[in-house]
């Protein structure tokens, strides 16, 4: 049973991605002349006090991987461990590497409802608590850099400090009211990306991080190592499956992986105007647009086609 679930989860992203019609490789999907930002991301090293602070903020979840240190035990001795962990993390930063043992995920299937078949289970990845600390250190630096240079759309509500889906609903409501006052009809196109975390193309993501966000050199190499050579096994009823490699997507349950998805929204081509005016969450968006009286239904259909074009180009 464990092997059946693991085979399904490992191949899910590939099967969905194969149904996405993509005209060419990611290297020719975007303007070759686009050089990206002038600034570059600098990944600073950490220190024992920061490691200790991050560890103490970890949620004490009941589930851990087999043979892992429970988080509450890790917290109890973090004062003594933090100098050594800081040394290990700094070595990973200097060498631009991410140890394989930290990237192997134990997957727990969570039933979503309906018939008890593999497709009705959500894979939740359990990773090493040590890895979670390292991921949070990386994310805090990456997020500060992105926010400092104002590189995300102001309408990006997912995984951002001070923003939430409640504010997205409020923004939508305000748009509708404003259009009504201006005697305009409002059309809203809603899009939910199917299995976005499972189908996220790592090559396209890494290309965008380098060319659109200025994440180059050693930091880019480290993030590449983080995404590459990932493995997983599934545990069902105490039985463990064989370990298999994962080539697509990001692990759900990791501290850094899901935060990559908002960076896929940036795209400096003909779809950029559309996305800049969309309300963006994590794996879905909505595009509320006022329709002037002179426009007809064909114009709305063209908006939807433009959004579909972005999906195909980004392989989501």
């Amino acid at each position: 049973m464990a092997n059946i679930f693991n085979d399904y989860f490992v191949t899910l992203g590939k099967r969905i991605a194969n149904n996405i019609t993509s005209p060419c490789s990611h290297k020719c999907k975007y303007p070759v002349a686009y050089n990206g930002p002038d600034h570059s991301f600098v990944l600073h090293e950490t220190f024992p006090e920061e490691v200790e602070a991050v560890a103490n903020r970890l949620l004490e979840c009941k589930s851990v991987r087999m043979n892992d240190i429970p988080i509450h035990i890790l917290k109890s001795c973090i004062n003594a461990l933090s100098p050594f962990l800081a040394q290990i993390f700094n070595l990973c930063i200097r060498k631009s590497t991410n140890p394989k043992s930290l990237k192997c995920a134990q997957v727990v299937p969570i039933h979503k409802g309906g018939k008890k078949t593999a497709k009705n289970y959500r894979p939740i990845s359990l990773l090493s608590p040590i890895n979670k600390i390292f991921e949070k250190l990386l994310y805090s630096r990456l997020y500060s850099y992105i926010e400092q240079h104002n590189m995300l759309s102001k309408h990006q509500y997912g995984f951002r400090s001070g923003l939430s889906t409640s504010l997205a609903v409020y923004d939508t409501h305000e748009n509708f009211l404003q259009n009504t006052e201006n005697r305009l009809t409002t059309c809203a196109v809603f899009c939910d990306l199917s299995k976005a975390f499972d189908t996220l193309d790592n090559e396209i993501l890494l290309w965008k991080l380098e060319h659109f966000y200025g994440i180059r050199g050693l930091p880019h190499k480290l993030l590449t190592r983080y995404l590459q050579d990932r493995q997983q096994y599934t545990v069902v009823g105490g039985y463990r499956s064989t370990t298999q490699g994962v080539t697509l997507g990001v692990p759900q349950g990791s501290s850094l992986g899901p935060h990559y998805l908002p960076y896929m929204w940036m795209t400096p081509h003909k779809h950029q105007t559309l996305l800049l005016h969309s309300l963006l969450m994590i794996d879905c968006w909505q595009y509320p647009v006022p329709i002037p009286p002179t426009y007809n239904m064909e114009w709305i259909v063209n908006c939807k086609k433009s959004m579909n074009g972005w999906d195909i180009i980004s392989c989501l």
Side-chain angles (χ1 to χ4, degrees):
M1 182 64 72
N3 281 323
I4 292 174
F5 272 105
N6 202 49
D7 289 341
Y8 178 79
F9 293 144
V10 167
T11 59
L12 178 61
K14 288 182 181 179
R15 284 186 275 110
I16 295 176
N18 288 338
N19 293 328
I20 301 173
T21 305
S22 187
C24 53
S25 70
H26 70 283
K27 292 181 180 179
C28 61
K29 289 174 184 174
Y30 303 102
V32 177
Y34 184 75
N35 296 320
D38 296 331
H39 45 78
S40 294
F41 174 55
V42 178
L43 186 56
H44 298 288
E45 295 186 2
T46 187
F47 46 91
E49 292 79 9
E50 184 185 22
V51 172
E52 186 173 347
V54 171
N56 285 326
R57 289 196 296 269
L58 291 178
L59 297 178
E60 295 186 14
C61 54
K62 296 180 180 178
S63 301
V64 294
R65 293 187 313 175
M66 294 177 174
N67 304 319
D68 264 341
I69 304 173
I71 293 177
H72 71 277
I73 295 179
L74 179 64
K75 285 184 175 182
S76 67
C77 53
I78 192 61
N79 184 261
L81 292 176
S82 58
F84 304 102
L85 291 177
Q87 279 188 308
I88 293 172
F89 296 153
N90 288 336
L91 188 61
C92 289
I93 291 174
R94 292 188 210 115
K95 300 290 185 180
S96 298
T97 189
N98 192 208
K100 270 191 176 182
S101 59
L102 297 183
K103 296 190 290 184
C104 186
Q106 175 179 312
V107 175
V108 178
I110 303 297
H111 189 230
K112 297 184 293 184
K115 294 182 180 180
K116 290 194 174 183
T117 56
K119 68 178 182 179
N120 289 328
Y121 283 79
R122 178 182 292 107
I124 300 299
S125 301
L126 302 179
L127 294 163
S128 163
I130 304 297
N131 183 74
K132 285 188 176 183
I133 297 174
F134 187 45
E135 285 190 8
K136 286 183 179 295
L137 292 171
L138 294 178
Y139 173 68
S140 65
R141 286 153 173 73
L142 184 60
Y143 181 78
S144 296
Y145 165 76
I146 296 293
E147 288 292 325
Q148 177 187 349
H149 295 284
N150 196 28
M151 302 179 77
L152 290 178
S153 165
K154 66 179 181 179
H155 298 299
Q156 172 65 56
Y157 291 94
F159 287 150
R160 295 185 73 184
S161 177
L163 297 176
S164 66
T165 51
S166 298
L167 289 174
V169 172
Y170 174 79
D171 198 351
T172 303
H173 181 258
E174 289 298 301
N175 282 335
F176 285 4
L177 285 180
Q178 184 177 356
N179 292 339
T180 301
E181 290 174 358
N182 293 330
R183 299 183 180 278
L184 294 172
T185 302
T186 302
C187 170
V189 181
F190 294 85
C191 181
D192 185 8
L193 301 177
S194 176
K195 302 294 183 182
F197 294 107
D198 298 307
T199 59
L200 193 150
D201 189 297
N202 293 339
E203 287 189 51
I204 296 178
L205 171 62
L206 290 167
W207 193 90
K208 285 192 172 187
L209 289 175
E210 180 179 4
H211 291 83
F212 298 168
Y213 294 94
I215 300 173
R216 310 176 176 98
L218 293 179
H220 187 271
K221 186 177 180 181
L222 174 58
L223 295 179
T224 301
R225 295 279 176 81
Y226 168 82
L227 291 169
Q228 289 179 345
D229 301 322
R230 302 200 71 90
Q231 295 181 316
Q232 73 172 49
Y233 60 88
T234 301
V235 174
V236 178
Y239 292 93
R240 170 179 169 164
S241 72
T242 56
T243 302
Q244 297 189 52
V246 182
T247 58
L248 274 179
V250 292
Q252 298 186 52
S254 68
S255 300
L256 181 60
H259 292 85
Y260 275 130
L261 197 55
Y263 306 147
M264 290 291 281
W265 296 127
M266 181 177 277
T267 166
H269 48 67
K270 64 180 180 180
H271 306 289
Q272 180 66 28
T273 302
L274 179 69
L275 290 174
L276 280 176
H277 295 282
S278 299
L279 301 179
L280 309 173
M281 272 61 82
I282 295 302
D283 57 350
C284 58
W285 74 71
Q286 55 177 296
Y287 182 43
V289 288
I291 307 174
T294 55
Y295 283 52
N296 54 28
M297 198 64 188
E298 184 180 354
W299 183 79
I300 301 173
V301 173
N302 288 335
C303 283
K304 182 62 171 64
K305 287 182 178 179
S306 183
M307 296 172 81
N308 288 342
W310 179 89
D311 291 342
I312 292 173
I313 287 176
S314 298
C315 292
L316 288 171

